[in-house]
Amino acid sequence: MRVWMASIGVGLSLLANSAVAEPKAAAAPLTLERVFASPDLAGDQPQALRLSPDGTLLTSVRPREDERARFDLWAMDTRTGISQMLVDSRKVGSGEELSEAEKMQRERDRSKTGKTGILDYDWAPDGKSILVPIDGELFVAALDGTVRKLAGTKGALNPVVSPRGGHVSLVRDQNLWVGPATGEARAITSDGGGTVHVGEAEFVAQEEMARRTGYWWSPDDKRIAVERFDEAPVRIFTRASIGASGTSIYQQRYPAAGTPNVLVDLFIMAPDGSGKVQVDLGPNRDIYLARVDWLPDGSALLVQRQSRDQRTLDMLLVDPATGKATVMFTEQAGAKSWVNLTDAYRVLADGSLIWRSERDGFGHLYRWNAGSWTQLTKGDWSVESLVAIDEKAGRLFFTGNRDGVLERHLYALDLARPDAITQLTEPGWWLAGASADGQGTRFIISRSNPRQPKQIYLADATGKRIAWVNENAVASDHPYAPFLPAHRPTQFGTIKAADGTPLHWQMITPVLEKGKRYPVFFMHYGGPHSQEVARDWPGNMPLRQFLVQQGWIVFQIDNRGSANRGKVFEDAIWHAMGSVEVDDQLAGAAYLKTLPFVDPNAIATYGWSYGGYMTLKMIEAHPGVFAAGISGAPVTDWALYDTHYTERYMGDPTRDAAAYTASSALPDAPMISDPLLIMHGMADDNVFLDNTTAFAARMQAANKPFEMMLYPGKAHGAVRDIHAWTTMLDFLDHHVKKPARK
C-alpha cells in the first residue's frame, strides 16, 4: 500500500510539470479491460478532503485498492504525515440498498455516481468526532477508530452536525429531524409528505443550481432556516426504469421547460421546531430559491432570490425574528444574457460583502459596503472561486485564469491594494480545487497537467508547499508506470471562429509516420458551464491514450457558449442552442482536414449528454463531414429538459417556440446519412430515454438506418462502462477504421 504523504517539511521537490523522467523499460500496451479495472490508472485519489477544526488532521475518503468504486474514511496527521483508516465501510456498513431519494441525490452529484461506501462526512466542531453516513444510516466515528451507530437515522439525507456541535440534523421521510449529538433525533416538522418536502432541495436546485440541501443552521445553533417545497404543480412524467430483471415505473414530477416549477417557501425555526417564522420571499411565487446563508454572527439571513427568467438576482437581508426581507442589491443581466449563480461570496466582520459578479463582462470580485461597490479584480479573465479571506492580514485568496485560459491558479490580493495580485501556484498546471482553513493560513491544493495525474499538497499562505497529501508520482509502484513510456503528449493550439473569436483545441497523436494519414476520434461536449480544453489530466486520460495506441488521433475544441471566456463568448448561444456550437465544432473538423497526417475521410465525432445532442446536430447540418457519429444520452428536444437549465439559455418555449423548434434535433433527423450509433441508459432520470425513442421513431419513419445500444438499469452515467466503449470501438472499426483493432 502506498503512503499518501511521502514526507513532510522543507526540501520536498518535484520535477516541474512532469510525472517522472521517461523510464527505460519497454512500454506495456494499454487494453480497454485495464482502463476500466482496479486500481485506477490515475492513482488512488482521496476525495472530500477537509482539515479538522484544529488543523492537526486532514481527513478524506479514498478508494480501496481492490475495489476502486468503494471508499473508506482516512485521516492523516499533518504533523507526522502518518495516515490511518478511521472507518472501514465494509466492516461498518450494512450493505443494504439505498433509498430511491438518496440514489437520486447521488446521481445529481456526478462525483458520487457509481460509488459505494463512505462518500461524505461532517466534522464535529470540537474536532473529537466525525458524523459518517454509510448505506443510508448515520455513525459517529471517534479519532481512536471506534464507531457507534446513531439510532433512528435509517434513510437519512443531508446529515450534519450543527455549527456549535450541540445537535445532529438530517432529513427523513420528507421532514427535518434534529437530535442531541449523543442521542436520538426526532422530527421537528410534520407537514412533509405526499408532494410536500421539508429540508430538502428540489430537483432543479440539486441538478442545475449546485444547491443540494434545504436547511441551514445559524452559527450559534439557535435557529434553522428550512426550505419547504410543494411539487404538486409540477407535471408528472411516467418514467420507466428498465432493468435487466424487470421494470420499475416511476411517476416522476419533472419540471420540463415552460411548465410549472415547485412552490417554494422558507421558514426560520428553533432546533425543536418552535417559533416558526415565514420568510417574505415576495409576492411572485414563480421564483428560484438560489442560495441561503447566515451572517457570521447569526443576526440575519442572506437569501438569493432568482427570477424565473434568470435575468434578475436579488440579495435579500432577512430579519430572523420577523421574516421581513429587504433588498440589499440586485444583479441584472445585460441584453440577450442571463445571471449565472455563484458561490464566490463572503461576509466580512465589518458587514461588507465580497461578491463575484459578471457585470463588466467577466467574472470578477467586488466589495459591497453599505450600498457602494468597489471592484477588486478586473481584466479579460475570470475569477473562478473565492477560496479564503484572512481579514487580520487583509488578504483575499481566489482561483482564476488570469495567466491564460488553459490554466487555473490560486492567487492572493491585498484588500487595501487590490491591484497587487500574486500568483501562488506554479505555471503549467490546472487547479482541480483549492480549499483553506478558516483563517486562510493553510491550503489544500489539487492540481494536474497532461503529464501528471492529480496531486494534492498542503501549502502555506505564500503558496509554498509544506507537505504532500498525495504526491501520486508515476514511479515504479504507480498503476500507470508500466504505460508511461508510451504516453503521448497533449498538444494545444487555436483556430478562429467565423466571427474571428479564437477557439482553443487540444490533440493527442500517435507517433506520426511520414506519409501516413490517421483517423480522428473527435470528442466534444459543447455545452455551457463547461471547459474541456485545459492543461490538466482529464479523468479519461488513460482511455484517450488507449485510443491513441489503437491508431487514433484524439481531438477536442472548445466552442463559443462554453465557460471561462467571459459573457460575450458564453452568450453566443442565447436562444440559439445548436447553432454557433455546431459551427465552431465544424470549424475544428475543417482544420483537421488541412493537416497532412489526418485522413480527411476518417473523422469520427463522439459526445455524451449535451455532446450527444451536438453529434446529432452536426451530422444533420453537414452530412459527409464526419465518417460516423456517436451520440450518447442526447437531449433531442429541449422542451423535454428541465426549466432552470433550458430556460436560462433558450427562454420560455410558450413564448419563443421558434427557437425551440430550431434547436431541436428531431425535425432534421431524416437528413442524417452518415453512420450513426445512439446510446442511452434505460433508467436515466436526467435526460429521459424519451429523447432517444423520439429520435429513433423519426429515423424509422423516414426509413433511415442507424445503430442503437440501450443499457438496462443504467442512468445518465452509462458511458462509464467497458461495454459502452467496446460497442463504440466496434462500430468505428466497421465504419471508419475498417481494419479490426488489436
Side-chain angles (χ1 to χ4, degrees):
M1 180 182 294
R2 290 184 301 281
V3 177
W4 285 89
M5 183 173 173
S7 57
I8 190 165
V10 180
L12 297 176
S13 63
L14 175 72
L15 294 174
N17 302 334
S18 66
V20 292
E22 289 278 336
K24 295 180 180 180
L30 273 168
T31 65
L32 203 55
E33 290 73 19
R34 180 61 192 91
V35 167
F36 285 92
S38 296
D40 194 318
L41 287 174
D44 292 338
Q45 295 294 343
Q47 299 179 28
L49 283 93
R50 290 165 199 160
L51 287 165
S52 61
D54 64 1
T56 60
L57 293 177
L58 190 151
T59 47
S60 64
V61 299
R62 55 188 253 205
R64 301 174 75 91
E65 290 195 341
D66 60 344
E67 192 177 358
R68 65 191 284 182
R70 174 172 286 277
F71 289 74
D72 303 310
L73 180 63
W74 285 71
M76 182 193 78
D77 191 312
T78 59
R79 299 157 297 186
T80 66
I82 297 175
S83 294
Q84 65 172 342
M85 182 188 290
L86 282 183
V87 183
D88 185 326
S89 66
R90 281 205 172 279
K91 292 181 179 179
V92 176
S94 65
E96 291 187 24
E97 188 172 357
L98 298 174
S99 67
E100 189 66 19
E102 187 164 2
K103 287 180 185 177
M104 292 303 98
Q105 263 200 4
R106 289 192 177 188
E107 184 65 23
R108 303 283 75 77
D109 187 346
R110 302 291 187 265
S111 66
K112 297 178 181 177
T113 302
K115 298 174 181 176
T116 61
I118 303 169
L119 303 184
D120 210 347
Y121 58 92
D122 192 40
W123 270 98
D126 62 7
K128 295 180 180 179
S129 62
I130 304 173
L131 184 66
V132 184
I134 309 176
D135 298 337
E137 296 182 296
L138 295 184
F139 298 81
V140 175
L143 303 187
D144 62 2
T146 58
V147 180
R148 63 180 176 85
K149 184 165 73 172
L150 290 179
T153 61
K154 185 67 178 174
L157 296 173
N158 302 330
V160 297
V161 181
S162 63
R164 291 199 174 178
H167 309 274
V168 170
S169 54
L170 58 116
V171 174
R172 179 182 173 190
D173 301 328
Q174 299 178 208
N175 279 290
L176 181 62
W177 294 56
V178 176
T182 57
E184 187 171 348
R186 68 174 186 85
I188 67 165
T189 64
S190 59
D191 50 340
T195 61
V196 175
H197 297 249
V198 181
E200 294 181 50
E202 67 273 28
F203 172 85
V204 294
Q206 294 183 46
E207 180 64 34
E208 310 297 358
M209 298 161 63
R211 178 171 67 77
R212 296 190 172 90
T213 187
Y215 71 94
W216 302 265
W217 281 94
S218 65
D220 55 11
D221 276 15
K222 293 181 179 179
R223 294 185 172 102
I224 317 173
V226 183
E227 174 186 3
R228 177 191 187 274
F229 71 84
D230 187 349
E231 56 184 357
V234 180
R235 177 180 168 186
I236 296 176
F237 282 78
T238 300
R239 179 173 65 86
S241 179
I242 304 171
S245 58
T247 299
S248 298
I249 303 298
Y250 295 98
Q251 300 300 316
Q252 181 174 344
R253 293 187 182 270
Y254 185 89
T259 68
N261 278 317
V262 301
L263 295 173
V264 176
D265 293 300
L266 184 65
F267 296 90
I268 299 172
M269 61 188 71
D272 61 359
S274 64
K276 186 163 70 172
V277 172
Q278 185 167 4
V279 173
D280 180 10
L281 296 177
N284 183 3
R285 299 300 305 278
D286 197 12
I287 53 97
Y288 294 107
L289 181 67
R291 299 285 186 270
V292 178
D293 299 275
W294 288 90
L295 293 186
D297 62 1
S299 62
L301 195 66
L302 292 180
V303 176
Q304 294 180 42
R305 178 182 65 194
Q306 188 179 43
S307 61
R308 173 71 182 255
D309 65 7
Q310 298 178 63
R311 291 180 47 77
T312 302
L313 180 73
D314 295 317
M315 177 66 85
L316 307 179
L317 183 68
V318 179
D319 181 347
T322 65
K324 181 181 178 181
T326 56
V327 178
M328 290 174 60
F329 60 85
T330 297
E331 286 283 344
Q332 188 70 49
K336 297 183 178 181
S337 186
W338 60 88
V339 177
N340 287 313
L341 298 179
T342 181
D343 289 315
Y345 58 92
R346 196 77 53 85
V347 178
L348 302 185
D350 64 1
S352 64
L353 175 74
I354 305 298
W355 174 257
R356 181 187 185 272
S357 171
E358 296 175 305
R359 61 186 59 189
D360 76 345
F362 288 85
H364 283 298
L365 295 176
Y366 295 76
R367 188 172 188 172
W368 178 92
N369 193 359
S372 63
W373 290 95
T374 302
Q375 187 166 359
L376 300 177
T377 63
K378 60 185 66 175
D380 294 347
W381 54 277
S382 291
V383 170
E384 190 266 339
S385 69
L386 178 60
V387 179
I389 300 175
D390 182 350
E391 293 196 57
K392 185 176 181 180
R395 299 186 83 205
L396 180 152
F397 302 86
F398 65 91
T399 63
N401 59 10
R402 180 174 181 261
D403 292 86
V405 70
L406 299 185
E407 299 184 8
R408 181 182 291 162
H409 291 288
L410 178 67
Y411 299 90
L413 66 76
D414 187 330
L415 284 168
R417 297 183 301 109
D419 288 339
I421 296 177
T422 305
Q423 182 177 324
L424 301 182
T425 47
E426 298 175 57
W429 297 84
W430 176 271
L431 258 65
S435 59
D437 61 18
Q439 291 71 44
T441 61
R442 280 184 293 184
F443 295 80
I444 304 171
I445 304 295
S446 300
R447 69 176 189 179
S448 72
N449 67 32
R451 295 175 298 279
Q452 170 62 54
K454 186 167 73 173
Q455 300 178 313
I456 304 172
Y457 64 90
L458 282 174
D460 64 18
T462 69
K464 179 183 177 182
R465 185 175 65 247
I466 56 177
W468 283 113
V469 177
N470 183 21
E471 184 177 9
N472 200 30
V474 187
S476 59
D477 62 342
H478 192 282
Y480 194 68
F483 311 105
L484 184 62
H487 183 89
R488 298 289 298 153
T490 302
Q491 305 169 52
F492 297 88
T494 60
I495 62 171
K496 289 187 176 181
D499 66 352
T501 301
L503 305 174
H504 296 283
W505 57 257
Q506 63 187 21
M507 182 190 324
I508 308 174
T509 73
V511 177
L512 300 177
E513 299 178 24
K514 187 175 181 180
K516 184 175 179 179
R517 290 179 177 266
Y518 297 82
V520 179
F521 190 87
F522 191 139
M523 305 174 68
H524 57 266
Y525 178 71
H529 281 240
S530 176
Q531 179 181 345
E532 300 296 307
V533 179
R535 297 191 195 280
D536 67 350
W537 179 286
N540 62 1
M541 176 64 90
L543 182 60
R544 299 183 190 197
Q545 294 290 328
F546 167 77
L547 292 171
V548 169
Q549 289 184 21
Q550 297 300 306
W552 291 93
I553 293 170
V554 177
F555 182 85
Q556 279 185 297
I557 189 168
D558 277 339
N559 50 254
R560 285 171 291 171
S562 55
N564 301 326
R565 295 282 303 276
K567 284 301 289 178
V568 171
F569 191 85
E570 187 180 38
D571 291 346
I573 61 168
W574 169 260
H575 290 201
M577 281 180 166
S579 59
V580 295
E581 322 100 298
V582 171
D583 294 342
D584 291 353
Q585 294 291 330
L586 289 169
Y591 167 71
L592 285 169
K593 293 188 178 193
T594 69
L595 301 178
F597 51 86
V598 167
D599 183 345
N601 300 311
I603 301 177
T605 186
Y606 155 80
W608 198 271
S609 193
Y610 199 103
Y613 162 71
M614 289 280 287
T615 291
L616 299 179
K617 294 293 284 186
M618 288 157 68
I619 63 178
E620 286 175 351
H622 295 272
V625 170
F626 298 101
I630 301 173
S631 172
V635 177
T636 61
D637 180 358
W638 286 106
L640 295 174
Y641 204 60
D642 72 57
T643 51
H644 195 270
Y645 183 93
T646 310
E647 293 174 9
R648 183 188 317 153
Y649 311 115
M650 292 295 296
D652 186 338
T654 65
R655 300 174 185 173
D656 199 354
Y660 276 77
T661 300
S663 71
S664 175
L666 297 178
D668 291 337
M671 302 294 292
I672 293 177
S673 58
D674 301 323
L676 170 66
L677 169 63
I678 190 166
M679 313 174 79
H680 215 123
M682 300 179 79
D684 195 331
D685 75 321
N686 181 7
V687 179
F688 286 0
L689 183 60
D690 303 46
N691 285 273
T692 284
T693 56
F695 185 86
R698 293 287 183 112
M699 294 287 282
Q700 292 161 353
N703 196 28
K704 289 286 185 176
F706 67 101
E707 298 180 34
M708 184 159 63
M709 179 61 70
L710 303 178
Y711 285 92
K714 295 294 180 68
H716 197 54
V719 69
R720 302 182 188 94
D721 185 275
I722 187 172
H723 187 274
W725 284 93
T726 300
T727 301
M728 286 188 247
L729 293 173
D730 286 344
F731 169 80
L732 295 178
D733 283 349
H734 179 69
H735 291 288
V736 182
K737 278 185 76 176
K738 303 301 193 296
R741 74 178 190 282
K742 298 176 184 178

